[in-house]
C-alpha cells in the first residue's frame, strides 16, 4: 500500500483501525520489528539466557536485554504458573518461541487475524507451526477457539478502533480464559479500565467475578491483569492509575473517549 492509499485508508470513517490488516505485515509490522525492536533488544533468546526467581518473581536475561513488555509477560507466567497460555495477535511469535523453551511444562498456543503474520511467525519459528492458528478476536465468540488458563495480548487491542470491536475483543479474551487475562497495551489508546468495569458491571463478561489489577514488571513495563479470583496486586479502579507517569497524548485520549462513548452496557 503506497503512502497516498495509507493516508486515504486512515481517513475512512467506516473502518478506522490503525492498519489495513491484510497488508499490515509488509506495510508496518516487519519494518518496525527489524528496524526498532531488534535493533535495541534480543527478541529470540536462548533458554540458558533466561532464569526465573520464584522468591522475587523476577526474570533475569543474560546478554542483551529483552524488550520490557516481553520481559513482563514472562514474569507474569512465572508468578501465576498457568498450565496453558494463549497469545492473541501473536505476530512473529517471538514471545511464544521464547516462552515454549523457557517454560517447557506449560502448553502454549497463538493466533493472529492476518495470514501473512502467521506466515512470518512460521518462518521465524517453524517449531511452532502446529500451535498457530488464524483467529479474529473481534468476531463473535467461537466454541472452536482454545481455552487457556492465561490469555494475553501485546500491542493488539490498542490498534482496534472500529465501532465497538475492542469491547468484543475484551469479552472474547475473558470468555477464552480459565483464570487470567493480561493486557500489554498502550493505555492511552483506550480507556481500558473504564471499559472493562463497564463490561463487568453490565454483565458482558463470562466470569462470575472479574478483578482488575496493575502488574509492574521488573524492567519498567506495566500491564493490566484480569483475574477471576482475588490476587495480591494493586487493584485498578481508574485509568489514571495505569496511566500515572505517562506523558499524555491528547490525540490518543480523545480517540479513547470517542471509542468508549459508543458502548451501551447491560440491558
Amino acid at each position: 500500500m503506497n503512502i497516498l492509499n495509507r493516508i486515504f485508508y486512515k481517513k475512512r470513517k467506516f473502518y478506522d483501525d490503525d492498519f489495513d490488516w491484510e497488508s499490515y505485515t509488509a506495510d508496518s509490522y516487519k519494518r518496525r520489528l527489524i528496524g526498532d525492536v531488534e535493533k535495541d533488544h534480543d527478541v529470540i533468546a536462548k533458554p540458558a539466557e533466561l532464569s526465573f526467581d520464584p522468591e522475587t518473581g523476577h526474570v533475569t536475561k543474560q546478554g542483551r536485554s529483552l524488550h520490557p513488555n516481553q520481559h513482563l509477560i514472562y514474569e507474569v507466567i512465572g508468578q501465576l504458573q498457568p498450565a496453558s497460555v494463549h497469545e492473541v495477535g501473536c505476530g512473529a511469535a517471538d514471545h511464544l518461541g521464547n516462552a515454549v523453551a523457557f517454560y517447557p511444562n506449560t502448553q502454549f498456543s497463538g493466533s493472529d487475524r492476518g495470514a501473512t503474520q502467521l506466515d512470518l511467525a512460521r518462518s521465524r519459528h517453524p517449531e511452532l507451526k502446529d500451535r498457530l492458528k488464524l483467529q479474529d478476536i473481534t468476531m463473535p465468540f467461537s466454541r472452536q477457539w482454545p481455552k487457556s488458563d492465561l490469555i494475553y495480548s501485546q500491542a493488539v487491542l490498542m490498534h482496534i478502533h472500529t465501532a465497538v470491536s475492542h469491547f468484543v475483543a475484551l469479552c472474547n479474551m475473558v470468555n477464552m480464559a480459565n483464570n487470567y487475562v493480561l493486557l500489554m497495551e498502550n493505555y492511552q489508546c483506550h480507556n481500558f479500565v473504564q471499559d472493562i468495569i463497564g463490561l463487568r458491571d453490565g454483565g458482558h463478561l463470562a466470569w462470575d467475578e472479574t478483578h482488575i489489577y496493575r502488574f509492574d514488571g521488573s524492567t519498567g513495563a506495566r500491564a493490566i491483569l484480569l483475574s477471576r479470583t482475588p490476587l495480591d496486586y494493586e487493584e485498578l479502579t481508574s485509568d489514571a492509575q495505569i496511566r500515572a507517569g505517562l506523558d499524555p497524548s491528547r490525540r490518543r485520549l480523545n480517540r479513547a473517549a470517542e471509542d468508549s462513548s459508543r458502548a451501551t452496557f447491560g440491558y
Side-chain angles (χ1 to χ4, degrees), residues 69-252:
N69 292 4
Q70 191 176 26
H71 200 115
L72 180 148
I73 291 168
Y74 301 150
E75 291 184 333
V76 169
I77 295 171
Q79 291 185 31
L80 299 179
Q81 292 292 301
S84 53
V85 177
H86 180 82
E87 181 178 6
V88 170
C90 64
D94 295 327
H95 304 135
L96 288 173
N98 290 335
V100 166
F102 189 23
Y103 295 110
N105 296 323
T106 303
Q107 181 63 44
F108 289 93
S109 60
S111 62
D112 205 284
R113 71 182 291 174
T116 55
Q117 291 283 81
L118 295 180
D119 290 340
L120 176 63
R122 292 182 181 115
S123 70
R124 291 170 70 90
H125 301 278
E127 74 280 5
L128 299 180
K129 65 178 182 179
D130 295 331
R131 302 175 187 244
L132 306 176
K133 302 293 183 182
L134 197 65
Q135 177 192 31
D136 183 349
I137 198 64
T138 67
M139 283 288 289
F141 182 78
S142 170
R143 288 174 294 173
Q144 297 178 8
W145 290 350
K147 298 278 282 188
S148 293
D149 288 345
L150 169 65
I151 305 291
Y152 77 89
S153 66
Q154 202 284 133
V156 176
L157 274 63
M158 58 188 273
H159 296 307
I160 298 174
H161 298 278
T162 303
V164 294
S165 292
H166 82 282
F167 292 102
V168 177
L170 285 167
C171 290
N172 282 336
M173 290 176 70
V174 171
N175 205 351
M176 292 172 63
N178 294 327
N179 299 306
Y180 312 109
V181 170
L182 181 74
L183 303 174
M184 172 56 69
E185 304 285 346
N186 183 319
Y187 305 110
Q188 299 190 66
C189 290
H190 287 298
N191 298 320
F192 283 102
V193 177
Q194 172 188 323
D195 294 345
I196 292 165
I197 290 173
L199 291 169
R200 180 192 65 189
D201 295 349
H204 298 274
L205 302 182
W207 296 345
D208 293 334
E209 296 182 16
T210 303
H211 304 271
I212 311 170
Y213 298 105
R214 171 170 169 160
F215 186 101
D216 288 281
S218 64
T219 57
R222 63 186 73 176
I224 296 173
L225 176 63
L226 310 184
S227 173
R228 65 188 310 166
T229 57
L231 298 172
D232 189 21
Y233 300 111
E234 177 190 347
E235 187 174 2
L236 292 175
T237 58
S238 73
D239 287 284
Q241 291 170 267
I242 196 66
R243 291 171 178 163
L246 301 178
D247 292 331
S249 167
R250 184 52 49 193
R251 177 183 64 84
R252 288 192 174 99

Side-chain angles (χ1 to χ4, degrees), residues 8-38:
F8 173 73
Y9 176 84
K10 290 186 176 182
K11 287 182 176 296
R12 292 190 294 174
K13 295 297 184 183
F14 58 88
Y15 189 84
D16 61 340
D17 283 3
D18 286 343
F19 302 101
D20 179 346
W21 300 112
E22 295 302 316
S23 60
Y24 175 50
T25 305
D27 283 351
S28 181
Y29 182 88
K30 196 170 183 179
R31 170 173 48 82
R32 292 184 180 185
L33 175 64
I34 296 171
D36 296 334
V37 181
E38 288 188 335

